[in-house]
């Protein structure tokens, strides 16, 4: 019965998102779904097991703090859309050098995130076929996928693969909706039967746990994509839709963690695919649907970041390095990263890389606010951006892998 409800919910929601003419014609929805899909694809399925292994029953509180940090950093990015973009290419502004540095950092962050997405995809593939713990197999899948994506990019560009993104995003959001419905029904059954209780897992946080938690910033990353949609959407629309995307993602994450906490158990921390096993008591069909959605969303995210990195490389080199060679560079760097890291390490590295990018964005916002004497609540902005820059620096300096 519950499996049927989950399948119907997934198909109905994914189908509506993929084929709705109303949504297809809405510029606001397109500007919202791009950062939303990026946030949800960055680490939704890995967030629960990783938080369970690090902070136990404090997962909801810690996820809330990560989301609050992400929303505040998003505020700095939104500030830059409104106040820095209009002067970004006009004369010499002190913030311009930091902005250029941030784009270079973003390229590095993209290299790491592409590797992360495909290492995670490989982990879900191996979990689905029951073949776990083989680093060579995971590396082989990751490198094979990297070769396909970058090879297609060098050959004829990624437009055709990008065309599949809408369906991958719809599938992922549909599965997330179905998962939340299944977890809600499961929790209600436990409550009605008098069996609901917090699991007996460790909830003690030491300094190492705090460092691991800082290394999970990647799970709420992705909102910054609105900063680079200027060719398709005006500034005020990007500001509003980025805020909406972060608020929607916040609600989804908090509801998910609140509902899944009852399934926590010891030993989940280092297994990024543990959510598949956690879902088995809820409904027999759920692990299959989640595995399919995870693979599709990670592949789509890797394609999107590959295209983003290729475009940035061509732009920063002012066309001296063509997109074809940019994809070759992406392939070489990501293969090296794949061979030198595992999925838990790459999560922390990705978090630190994006924290460095966010640090640059906060510094840009700080410099712009400092030079704008007529800015309302200028002192409050300066304090806020300075504080966020220090937090991002801490994430960059202290974030470590979970296992």
């Amino acid at each position: 019965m519950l499996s049927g409800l989950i399948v119907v919910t997934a198909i109905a929601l994914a189908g509506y998102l993929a084929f709705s003419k109303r949504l297809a014609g809405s510029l606001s929805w397109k500007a919202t779904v791009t950062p939303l899909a990026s946030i949800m694809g960055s680490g939704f399925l890995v967030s629960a097991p990783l938080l369970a292994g690090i902070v136990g029953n404090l997962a909801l509180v810690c996820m809330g703090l990560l989301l609050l940090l992400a929303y505040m950093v998003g505020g700095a990015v939104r500030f830059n859309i409104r106040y820095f973009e209009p002067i970004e290419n006009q004369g010499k502004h002190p913030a311009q050098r930091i902005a250029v540095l941030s784009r270079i950092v973003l390229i590095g962050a993209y290299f790491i995130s592409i590797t992360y997405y495909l290492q995670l995809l490989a982990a879900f593939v191996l979990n689905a076929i029951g073949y776990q713990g083989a680093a060579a197999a995971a590396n082989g899948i990751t490198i094979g996928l990297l070769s396909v994506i970058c090879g297609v990019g060098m050959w004829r560009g990624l437009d055709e693969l990008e065309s599949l993104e809408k369906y991958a995003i719809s599938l992922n959001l549909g599965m997330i909706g179905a998962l939340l419905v299944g977890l809600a029904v499961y929790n209600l059954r436990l409550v009605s039967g008098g069996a609901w209780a917090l699991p007996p897992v460790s909830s003690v946080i030491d300094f190492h746990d705090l460092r691991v938690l800082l290394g999970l910033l990647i799970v709420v990353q992705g909102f910054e994509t609105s900063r680079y949609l200027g060719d398709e959407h005006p500034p005020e629309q990007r500001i509003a839709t980025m805020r909406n995307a972060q608020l929607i993602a916040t609600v989804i994450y908090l509801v998910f963690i609140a509902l899944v906490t009852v399934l926590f158990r010891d030993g989940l921390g280092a297994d990024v695919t543990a959510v598949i096993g956690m879902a088995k008591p809820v409904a027999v069909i759920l692990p299959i649907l989640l595995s399919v959605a995870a693979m599709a969303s990670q592949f789509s995210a890797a394609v999107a970041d590959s295209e983003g990195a290729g475009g940035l490389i061509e732009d920063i080199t002012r066309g001296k390095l063509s997109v074809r060679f940019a994809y070759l560079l992406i392939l070489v760097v990501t293969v090296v990263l794949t061979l030198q890291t595992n999925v838990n390490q790459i999560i922390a590295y990705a978090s630190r890389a994006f924290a460095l990018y966010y640090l640059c964005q906060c510094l840009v916002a700080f410099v712009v606010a400092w030079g704008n004497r007529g800015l309302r609540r200028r002192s409050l902005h300066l304090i806020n951006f300075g504080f966020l820059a220090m937090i991002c620096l801490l994430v960059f300096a202290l974030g470590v892998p979970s296992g």
Side-chain angles (χ1 to χ4, degrees):
M1 183 72 177
L2 183 54
S3 292
L5 176 62
I6 289 172
V7 170
V8 170
T9 301
I11 292 174
L13 183 55
Y16 176 72
L17 294 174
F19 302 109
S20 169
K21 292 183 179 179
R22 178 173 172 272
L23 294 181
S26 171
L27 289 177
S28 293
W29 170 246
K30 290 178 182 178
T32 301
V33 78
T34 299
L36 176 61
S38 189
I39 297 168
M40 302 311 300
S42 293
F44 179 78
L45 293 179
V46 304
S47 61
L50 291 178
L51 285 171
I54 301 165
V55 298
N57 293 329
L58 294 175
L60 183 61
V61 174
C62 292
M63 177 53 77
L65 292 174
L66 281 174
L67 290 163
L68 177 61
L69 173 61
Y71 187 80
M72 292 176 70
V73 173
V77 177
R78 289 189 287 274
F79 180 91
N80 289 338
I81 292 174
R82 176 171 286 142
Y83 292 103
F84 178 63
E85 277 190 6
I87 61 173
E88 187 171 7
N89 299 309
Q90 296 178 5
K92 293 184 178 180
H93 192 281
Q96 287 175 338
R97 290 184 178 180
I98 305 175
V100 171
L101 176 61
S102 77
R103 296 172 77 186
I104 295 172
V105 170
L106 184 58
I107 291 173
Y110 275 151
F111 287 157
I112 299 172
S113 67
I114 293 163
T115 311
Y116 158 61
Y117 291 136
L118 295 182
Q119 283 191 351
L120 189 57
L121 189 158
F124 277 106
V125 169
L126 293 175
N127 178 272
I129 63 176
Y131 191 71
Q132 298 173 315
N139 288 345
I141 293 172
T142 303
I143 293 172
L145 291 170
L146 286 169
S147 301
V148 169
I149 292 172
C150 294
V152 171
M154 287 185 281
W155 176 38
R156 56 192 302 172
L158 293 177
D159 289 345
E160 292 182 11
L161 291 180
E162 276 283 297
S163 65
L164 300 175
E165 183 179 18
K166 179 178 75 170
Y167 303 104
I169 290 171
S170 300
L171 177 63
N172 189 38
L173 295 178
M175 292 307 110
I176 288 172
L179 173 62
L180 295 181
V181 169
L183 286 171
V185 173
Y186 181 77
N187 276 263
L188 287 173
R189 285 178 176 176
L190 290 178
V191 171
S192 63
W196 194 97
L198 287 174
V201 294
S202 173
S203 299
V204 178
I205 304 176
D206 57 23
F207 183 64
H208 179 265
D209 293 331
L210 180 60
R211 294 185 65 189
V212 175
L213 190 63
L214 291 175
L216 294 184
L217 180 63
I218 186 67
V219 303
V220 290
Q221 166 272 332
F223 51 87
E224 73 287 340
T225 54
S226 295
R227 173 79 168 81
Y228 303 100
L229 297 176
D231 292 340
E232 304 168 33
H233 304 280
E236 291 304 319
Q237 186 177 64
R238 283 182 288 139
I239 289 169
T241 52
M242 186 213 286
R243 183 184 294 112
N244 291 341
Q246 286 197 277
L247 292 174
I248 293 169
T250 295
V251 172
I252 293 173
Y253 264 111
L254 292 179
V255 170
F256 171 57
I257 297 298
L259 292 174
V260 82
T261 298
V262 73
L263 296 170
F264 285 179
R265 61 180 187 274
D266 288 326
L268 289 176
D271 184 3
V272 294
T273 65
V275 69
I276 303 300
M278 294 170 66
K280 287 180 180 177
V282 179
V284 292
I285 193 65
L286 203 47
I288 299 172
L289 297 179
L290 289 178
S291 295
V292 172
M295 295 173 203
S297 66
Q298 300 311 307
F299 184 79
S300 173
V303 170
D305 279 9
S306 296
E307 188 169 50
L312 274 174
I313 292 170
E314 185 182 33
D315 185 49
I316 286 176
T317 61
R318 297 182 180 179
K320 293 178 181 178
L321 192 66
S322 68
V323 172
R324 176 172 295 180
F325 286 103
Y327 284 127
L328 179 60
L329 177 62
I330 293 168
L331 178 61
V332 171
V333 174
T334 52
V335 166
V336 171
L337 284 171
T338 298
L339 295 175
Q340 295 297 317
T341 62
N342 59 45
V343 67
N344 293 96
Q345 291 172 328
I346 206 71
I347 288 173
Y349 295 154
S351 292
R352 294 171 71 180
F354 275 99
L356 185 59
Y357 168 74
Y358 294 146
L359 168 62
C360 292
Q361 287 294 304
C362 291
L363 291 177
V364 168
F366 184 91
V367 172
V368 171
W370 181 271
N372 190 342
R373 302 291 179 179
L375 181 67
R376 290 182 56 196
R377 297 181 297 177
R378 177 170 170 269
S379 297
L380 184 60
H381 281 302
L382 290 172
I383 293 171
N384 179 44
F385 298 146
F387 170 75
L388 289 174
M390 288 189 291
I391 295 297
C392 290
L393 181 60
L394 286 176
V395 175
F396 173 71
L398 298 178
V400 296
S402 61

